[in-house]
Amino acid sequence: KTEALKTFYPTSILETGFDIIFFWVARMIMMGIHFMGDVPFRKVYLHAMVRDEKGQKMSKSKGNVIDPLVLIDQHGADPLRFTLAAMAGQGRDIKLSVDRVEGYRAFANKLWNAVKFFHLQFEAENGGPVPEPAGGAEKWLTEHFVDLLPANKWILSRVQKVNSSVTQGFEKFELNESAQALYEFIWHEFCDWFIEFSKLPLKDREAPGHHGATIRAETIYTLYVVLEKSLRLLHPIMPFVTEALWQSFAWVKPGNSPARERVGRNPVHTISFQKFPQPNTALASLDSERSISGLKALIEAVRNFRGENNVPHKVKLQVQVVPGSQAARVFVD
């Protein structure tokens, strides 16, 4: 009867493969009931079986074994972790290939460059870092949400929905759903669209918003809040990259764990002890999401026209929009 036994028995979840349910899982349950009078865990997460890219079981005799340590040396630990999480759909095997890991390394690079873009803007304000608003950037954005730029309201609203999707995926052990939601949001919404939307307001140092701050400062607050929350959401899947990037932010605060607090240990400056994000319903706006969705459709239509007719991006086009409804007319105007 030790403190370790009291702390760790029973636990909550066992993670294992389906091929040893009887040989390992059932025996643990039976021995736990016999010796302890209680089962050792309440849930069993059966992970997918990792096979080669053709779906064959890995075997030294076949020569199709992929050494994870070699993959880590080539592409990093986080891209390998993200690959396994993204492919860990329940009831299916993982057909692992080096190309997939390389693809998610590009995702890690995309995230790194997004944070680099933020720092370039953050440090450029009047020749020095932007001061943090009283109470923090998220509190400021929440208080002035109604008066924010449409693109800023849109990305803040989108990250709340992604927060819900990622949390739901983790709670249901659907790691692939959480990974995919983060991938789509960070790459295709934040990097491909919002960073481009942000470049014009970031250039204007003097333009005032309707809230006592410049639209540049408002956009920097938005960039920070969305990136910082995205890093915390992504941390369980990509711990090393997110830790390094989170540490680079000037406004982050040290955190602690309940166990450390109980024994009087001081807070530590690490993302690992930050609270997992919760959706902020005060930063949700369906109207902004609809408006920006319409704007994206217009931009994509022009881009498609350019591509289909080999019109260079440097050539300016005169675009004529014919609204199909009164609502569309109001939107375009």
Side-chain angles (χ1 to χ4, degrees):
K1 300 296 182 180
T2 63
E3 280 299 313
L5 184 64
K6 182 180 177 181
T7 301
F8 297 109
Y9 196 100
T11 186
S12 55
I13 303 167
L14 174 73
E15 178 268 346
T16 186
F18 66 84
D19 53 334
I20 55 172
I21 290 177
F22 180 76
F23 302 102
W24 179 237
V25 181
R27 286 179 54 156
M28 290 175 72
I29 292 173
M30 289 186 287
M31 294 181 74
I33 293 173
H34 179 76
F35 289 107
M36 299 295 298
D38 193 7
V39 294
F41 38 78
R42 299 291 174 184
K43 295 179 180 178
V44 179
Y45 173 66
L46 300 178
H47 64 70
M49 299 298 291
V50 181
R51 301 180 182 274
D52 70 8
E53 58 187 352
K54 297 178 182 177
Q56 299 294 316
K57 187 174 181 180
M58 291 189 186
S59 168
K60 289 182 180 179
S61 60
K62 291 182 180 179
N64 64 343
V65 173
I66 299 177
D67 189 336
L69 296 180
V70 173
L71 279 180
I72 290 171
D73 287 340
Q74 292 174 339
H75 303 295
D78 279 352
L80 177 57
R81 283 173 63 99
F82 195 93
T83 302
L84 296 174
M87 300 180 69
Q90 295 182 16
R92 56 172 280 189
D93 290 340
I94 293 176
K95 295 181 180 180
L96 186 62
S97 70
V98 176
D99 290 342
R100 287 185 179 273
V101 181
E102 189 174 349
Y104 288 121
R105 183 186 68 179
F107 171 64
N109 288 340
K110 193 80 170 178
L111 180 65
W112 193 280
N113 287 332
V115 174
K116 183 179 179 181
F117 171 82
F118 167 78
H119 285 305
L120 288 173
Q121 302 303 322
F122 182 78
E123 298 291 341
E125 176 78 2
N126 298 322
V130 180
E132 184 180 14
E138 184 165 353
K139 182 176 183 291
W140 188 94
L141 291 168
T142 302
E143 291 173 349
H144 300 94
F145 187 67
V146 174
D147 297 321
L148 300 184
L149 296 174
N152 291 343
K153 291 170 75 173
W154 165 71
I155 199 66
L156 287 167
S157 183
R158 289 297 306 140
V159 78
Q160 310 313 319
K161 287 193 174 179
V162 171
N163 195 158
S164 298
S165 299
V166 172
T167 302
Q168 186 177 24
F170 284 144
E171 288 174 348
K172 293 184 176 181
F173 302 98
E174 294 174 344
L175 305 185
N176 57 312
E177 297 291 337
S178 297
Q180 191 62 30
L182 285 163
Y183 181 90
E184 293 291 334
F185 172 74
I186 292 171
W187 191 306
H188 298 299
E189 293 189 86
F190 184 79
C191 293
D192 287 355
W193 285 101
F194 180 69
I195 285 181
E196 296 304 315
F197 286 146
S198 72
K199 288 179 179 178
L200 282 177
L202 286 170
K203 285 180 180 177
D204 198 336
R205 296 178 180 275
E206 306 300 331
H210 299 290
H211 37 55
T214 64
I215 61 172
R216 174 182 172 79
E218 170 199 320
T219 304
I220 287 175
Y221 300 158
T222 304
L223 280 165
Y224 168 78
V225 166
V226 174
L227 275 171
E228 197 275 337
K229 176 170 270 197
S230 297
L231 291 177
R232 281 187 286 140
L233 288 169
L234 187 59
H235 181 65
I237 305 177
M238 302 184 85
F240 303 109
V241 169
T242 53
E243 178 73 54
L245 294 177
W246 187 87
Q247 293 277 358
S248 72
F249 288 138
W251 297 342
V252 292
K253 307 296 189 294
N256 218 340
S257 68
R260 290 173 57 87
E261 288 178 351
R262 283 195 296 270
V263 295
R265 293 189 177 180
N266 294 326
V268 181
H269 205 261
T270 173
I271 193 174
S272 298
F273 289 160
Q274 299 299 307
K275 291 182 179 179
F276 193 76
Q278 297 296 319
N280 184 349
T281 55
L283 294 178
S285 171
L286 285 176
D287 289 341
S288 295
E289 292 193 36
R290 292 192 194 100
S291 295
I292 298 300
S293 178
L295 179 60
K296 287 167 61 180
L298 282 174
I299 294 171
E300 286 172 340
V302 175
R303 286 177 176 172
N304 291 337
F305 178 85
R306 284 182 179 277
E308 291 166 1
N309 295 277
N310 297 317
V311 179
H313 289 288
K314 293 182 180 179
V315 176
K316 290 187 177 181
L317 292 177
Q318 191 171 25
V319 178
Q320 183 179 8
V321 179
V322 181
S325 65
Q326 180 60 28
R329 186 180 302 279
V330 170
F331 169 75
V332 172
D333 292 342

Coordinates of all heavy atoms in Angstrom, one line a residue, residues 228-273:
E228 N -1.3 32.1 -30.6 CA -1.1 31.5 -29.3 C -2.1 30.4 -29.0 O -1.7 29.3 -28.5 CB -1.1 32.6 -28.3 CG -0.5 32.2 -26.9 CD -1.4 31.5 -26.0 OE1 -2.7 31.7 -26.2 OE2 -0.9 30.8 -25.1
K229 N -3.3 30.6 -29.3 CA -4.3 29.6 -29.1 C -4.1 28.4 -30.0 O -4.2 27.2 -29.5 CB -5.8 30.1 -29.3 CG -6.8 29.1 -29.2 CD -8.2 29.7 -29.2 CE -8.7 30.0 -27.8 NZ -10.1 30.2 -27.7
S230 N -3.7 28.6 -31.2 CA -3.4 27.5 -32.1 C -2.3 26.6 -31.6 O -2.3 25.4 -31.7 CB -3.1 28.0 -33.5 OG -4.2 28.7 -34.1
L231 N -1.3 27.3 -31.1 CA -0.1 26.5 -30.5 C -0.5 25.6 -29.3 O -0.1 24.5 -29.2 CB 1.0 27.5 -30.1 CG 1.7 28.2 -31.2 CD1 2.7 29.2 -30.6 CD2 2.4 27.3 -32.2
R232 N -1.4 26.2 -28.5 CA -1.9 25.4 -27.3 C -2.7 24.2 -27.8 O -2.7 23.1 -27.2 CB -2.6 26.3 -26.3 CG -1.7 27.1 -25.4 CD -2.4 27.8 -24.4 NE -3.2 28.9 -24.9 CZ -4.4 29.3 -24.5 NH1 -5.0 28.6 -23.6 NH2 -5.0 30.4 -25.0
L233 N -3.5 24.4 -28.8 CA -4.4 23.4 -29.4 C -3.5 22.3 -30.0 O -3.8 21.1 -29.9 CB -5.3 23.9 -30.4 CG -6.5 24.7 -29.9 CD1 -7.2 25.4 -31.0 CD2 -7.5 23.9 -29.1
L234 N -2.4 22.7 -30.6 CA -1.6 21.8 -31.4 C -0.6 21.1 -30.5 O 0.0 20.0 -30.9 CB -0.9 22.5 -32.5 CG -0.1 21.8 -33.5 CD1 -0.9 20.8 -34.3 CD2 0.5 22.8 -34.5
H235 N -0.3 21.6 -29.3 CA 0.8 21.1 -28.5 C 0.7 19.6 -28.2 O 1.8 19.0 -28.2 CB 0.8 21.9 -27.2 CG 1.9 21.5 -26.2 ND1 3.2 21.7 -26.6 CD2 1.9 20.9 -25.0 CE1 4.0 21.2 -25.6 NE2 3.2 20.7 -24.6
P236 N -0.4 19.0 -27.9 CA -0.4 17.6 -27.6 C 0.1 16.7 -28.8 O 0.6 15.6 -28.6 CB -1.9 17.3 -27.3 CG -2.5 18.5 -26.8 CD -1.8 19.6 -27.7
I237 N -0.1 17.2 -30.0 CA 0.3 16.5 -31.2 C 1.8 16.8 -31.6 O 2.5 16.0 -32.0 CB -0.6 16.7 -32.3 CG1 -2.1 16.4 -31.9 CG2 -0.3 15.8 -33.5 CD1 -3.1 16.6 -33.0
M238 N 2.1 18.1 -31.5 CA 3.4 18.6 -31.9 C 4.1 19.3 -30.8 O 4.1 20.6 -30.8 CB 3.3 19.5 -33.2 CG 2.7 18.8 -34.4 SD 2.7 19.8 -35.9 CE 4.3 19.4 -36.6
P239 N 4.6 18.6 -29.8 CA 5.0 19.3 -28.6 C 6.3 20.1 -28.7 O 6.4 21.2 -28.0 CB 5.2 18.2 -27.6 CG 5.5 17.0 -28.4 CD 4.7 17.2 -29.7
F240 N 7.2 19.7 -29.6 CA 8.5 20.4 -29.6 C 8.5 21.7 -30.4 O 9.0 22.7 -29.9 CB 9.6 19.4 -30.2 CG 9.7 18.1 -29.4 CD1 9.2 17.0 -30.0 CD2 10.2 18.1 -28.2 CE1 9.3 15.8 -29.3 CE2 10.3 16.9 -27.5 CZ 9.8 15.7 -28.0
V241 N 7.9 21.7 -31.5 CA 7.8 22.9 -32.3 C 6.9 23.9 -31.6 O 7.3 25.1 -31.6 CB 7.2 22.6 -33.7 CG1 6.8 23.9 -34.5 CG2 8.2 21.8 -34.6
T242 N 5.8 23.5 -31.1 CA 4.9 24.4 -30.4 C 5.6 25.1 -29.1 O 5.3 26.2 -28.8 CB 3.6 23.8 -30.0 OG1 3.9 22.6 -29.2 CG2 2.8 23.4 -31.2
E243 N 6.3 24.3 -28.4 CA 7.1 24.8 -27.2 C 8.0 25.9 -27.7 O 8.1 27.0 -27.1 CB 7.8 23.7 -26.5 CG 8.6 24.1 -25.3 CD 7.7 24.5 -24.1 OE1 6.9 23.7 -23.7 OE2 7.9 25.7 -23.6
A244 N 8.8 25.6 -28.7 CA 9.8 26.6 -29.2 C 9.1 27.9 -29.7 O 9.6 29.0 -29.3 CB 10.6 26.0 -30.3
L245 N 8.0 27.7 -30.4 CA 7.4 28.9 -30.9 C 6.6 29.7 -29.8 O 6.7 30.9 -29.8 CB 6.4 28.5 -32.0 CG 7.0 28.0 -33.3 CD1 5.9 27.5 -34.3 CD2 7.9 29.0 -33.9
W246 N 6.0 29.0 -28.9 CA 5.3 29.6 -27.8 C 6.3 30.4 -26.9 O 6.0 31.5 -26.5 CB 4.6 28.6 -26.9 CG 3.7 29.1 -25.9 CD1 2.4 29.5 -26.0 CD2 4.1 29.4 -24.5 NE1 1.9 30.0 -24.8 CE2 2.9 29.9 -23.9 CE3 5.2 29.2 -23.8 CZ2 2.9 30.3 -22.5 CZ3 5.2 29.6 -22.4 CH2 4.1 30.1 -21.8
Q247 N 7.5 29.9 -26.7 CA 8.5 30.5 -25.9 C 8.9 31.9 -26.5 O 9.5 32.7 -25.8 CB 9.7 29.6 -25.7 CG 9.5 28.4 -24.9 CD 9.6 28.7 -23.4 OE1 9.9 29.8 -23.0 NE2 9.3 27.6 -22.6
S248 N 8.8 32.0 -27.8 CA 9.2 33.2 -28.5 C 8.3 34.4 -28.4 O 8.7 35.5 -28.7 CB 9.4 32.9 -30.0 OG 8.1 32.8 -30.7
F249 N 7.1 34.2 -27.8 CA 6.1 35.3 -27.7 C 6.4 36.1 -26.4 O 6.8 35.5 -25.4 CB 4.7 34.7 -27.6 CG 4.1 34.2 -28.9 CD1 3.4 33.0 -28.9 CD2 4.3 34.9 -30.0 CE1 2.9 32.6 -30.1 CE2 3.8 34.4 -31.2 CZ 3.1 33.3 -31.3
A250 N 6.3 37.4 -26.5 CA 6.6 38.3 -25.4 C 5.6 38.3 -24.4 O 5.9 38.6 -23.2 CB 6.9 39.7 -26.0
W251 N 4.3 38.1 -24.7 CA 3.2 38.3 -23.8 C 2.8 37.1 -23.0 O 1.8 37.2 -22.2 CB 2.0 38.9 -24.5 CG 2.3 40.2 -25.2 CD1 3.3 41.1 -24.9 CD2 1.5 40.8 -26.2 NE1 3.2 42.2 -25.7 CE2 2.1 42.1 -26.5 CE3 0.3 40.5 -26.9 CZ2 1.6 42.9 -27.5 CZ3 -0.2 41.3 -27.9 CH2 0.4 42.5 -28.2
V252 N 3.4 35.9 -23.2 CA 2.9 34.7 -22.6 C 3.3 34.7 -21.1 O 4.4 35.3 -20.8 CB 3.4 33.5 -23.3 CG1 2.8 33.3 -24.6 CG2 5.0 33.5 -23.4
K253 N 2.5 34.1 -20.3 CA 2.8 34.1 -18.8 C 3.1 32.7 -18.4 O 2.7 31.7 -19.0 CB 1.5 34.6 -18.1 CG 0.9 35.9 -18.6 CD 1.9 37.0 -18.3 CE 1.2 38.4 -18.6 NZ 0.9 38.6 -20.0
P254 N 3.9 32.5 -17.3 CA 4.2 31.2 -16.7 C 2.9 30.5 -16.2 O 2.0 31.2 -15.8 CB 5.2 31.5 -15.6 CG 5.0 32.9 -15.3 CD 4.5 33.6 -16.5
G255 N 3.0 29.2 -16.2 CA 1.8 28.4 -15.7 C 2.3 27.3 -14.7 O 3.5 27.1 -14.5
N256 N 1.3 26.6 -14.2 CA 1.6 25.6 -13.2 C 0.6 24.4 -13.4 O -0.5 24.6 -14.0 CB 1.6 26.1 -11.8 CG 2.7 25.5 -10.9 OD1 3.2 24.5 -11.3 ND2 3.0 26.2 -9.9
S257 N 0.9 23.3 -12.8 CA 0.0 22.2 -12.8 C -0.6 22.0 -11.4 O 0.0 22.5 -10.4 CB 0.7 20.9 -13.2 OG 1.6 20.5 -12.2
P258 N -1.8 21.4 -11.2 CA -2.4 21.3 -9.9 C -1.4 20.5 -8.9 O -1.3 20.8 -7.8 CB -3.6 20.5 -10.2 CG -4.0 20.8 -11.6 CD -2.7 21.0 -12.3
A259 N -0.7 19.5 -9.5 CA 0.2 18.7 -8.6 C 1.3 19.6 -8.1 O 1.7 19.5 -6.9 CB 0.7 17.5 -9.4
R260 N 1.9 20.4 -9.0 CA 3.0 21.3 -8.5 C 2.5 22.3 -7.5 O 3.2 22.7 -6.6 CB 3.6 22.0 -9.8 CG 4.4 21.0 -10.7 CD 4.8 21.7 -11.9 NE 5.6 22.9 -11.6 CZ 6.9 22.9 -11.4 NH1 7.6 21.8 -11.6 NH2 7.5 24.1 -11.2
E261 N 1.3 22.8 -7.7 CA 0.7 23.8 -6.8 C 0.5 23.3 -5.4 O 0.8 23.9 -4.4 CB -0.6 24.4 -7.4 CG -0.4 25.3 -8.6 CD -1.8 25.8 -9.1 OE1 -2.8 25.2 -8.7 OE2 -1.8 26.6 -10.0
R262 N 0.1 22.0 -5.4 CA -0.1 21.4 -4.1 C 1.1 21.3 -3.2 O 1.1 21.3 -2.0 CB -0.7 20.0 -4.3 CG -2.2 20.0 -4.6 CD -2.9 18.6 -4.4 NE -2.3 17.6 -5.3 CZ -2.7 17.3 -6.5 NH1 -3.8 18.0 -7.0 NH2 -2.2 16.4 -7.3
V263 N 2.3 21.1 -3.9 CA 3.5 21.0 -3.1 C 4.3 22.3 -3.1 O 5.5 22.3 -2.7 CB 4.4 19.8 -3.7 CG1 3.7 18.5 -3.5 CG2 4.7 20.1 -5.2
G264 N 3.7 23.4 -3.5 CA 4.3 24.7 -3.4 C 5.3 25.0 -4.4 O 6.2 25.9 -4.2
R265 N 5.3 24.4 -5.6 CA 6.3 24.7 -6.6 C 5.9 25.9 -7.4 O 4.7 26.1 -7.7 CB 6.5 23.5 -7.6 CG 7.2 22.3 -6.9 CD 7.6 21.3 -7.8 NE 8.3 20.2 -7.2 CZ 8.8 19.1 -7.8 NH1 8.6 19.0 -9.1 NH2 9.4 18.1 -7.2
N266 N 6.9 26.7 -7.9 CA 6.6 27.9 -8.6 C 6.1 27.7 -10.0 O 6.5 26.6 -10.6 CB 7.8 28.8 -8.6 CG 8.2 29.3 -7.2 OD1 7.3 29.6 -6.4 ND2 9.5 29.5 -7.0
P267 N 5.4 28.6 -10.6 CA 5.0 28.5 -12.0 C 6.2 28.4 -12.9 O 7.3 29.0 -12.6 CB 4.2 29.7 -12.3 CG 3.7 30.1 -10.9 CD 4.7 29.8 -10.0
V268 N 6.1 27.8 -14.1 CA 7.2 27.6 -15.0 C 6.7 28.2 -16.4 O 5.6 28.1 -16.8 CB 7.5 26.1 -15.2 CG1 8.7 25.9 -16.2 CG2 7.9 25.5 -13.8
H269 N 7.7 28.8 -17.1 CA 7.4 29.4 -18.3 C 7.5 28.3 -19.4 O 8.5 28.2 -20.1 CB 8.5 30.5 -18.6 CG 8.0 31.5 -19.6 ND1 8.3 31.6 -20.9 CD2 7.2 32.6 -19.4 CE1 7.8 32.6 -21.5 NE2 7.1 33.3 -20.6
T270 N 6.4 27.6 -19.6 CA 6.4 26.5 -20.6 C 4.9 26.3 -21.0 O 4.0 26.5 -20.3 CB 6.9 25.1 -20.0 OG1 6.6 24.1 -21.0 CG2 6.2 24.8 -18.7
I271 N 4.7 26.0 -22.3 CA 3.4 25.8 -22.8 C 2.7 24.5 -22.2 O 1.5 24.4 -22.2 CB 3.4 25.7 -24.4 CG1 2.0 25.8 -25.0 CG2 4.1 24.4 -24.8 CD1 2.0 25.8 -26.5
S272 N 3.6 23.6 -21.7 CA 3.0 22.4 -21.2 C 2.1 22.6 -19.9 O 1.2 21.8 -19.7 CB 4.2 21.4 -20.8 OG 4.9 21.1 -21.9
F273 N 2.3 23.7 -19.2 CA 1.6 24.0 -18.0 C 0.5 25.0 -18.3 O -0.2 25.5 -17.4 CB 2.4 24.5 -16.9 CG 3.3 23.4 -16.3 CD1 4.4 23.7 -15.6 CD2 3.0 22.0 -16.5 CE1 5.2 22.7 -15.0 CE2 3.8 21.0 -16.0 CZ 4.9 21.3 -15.2

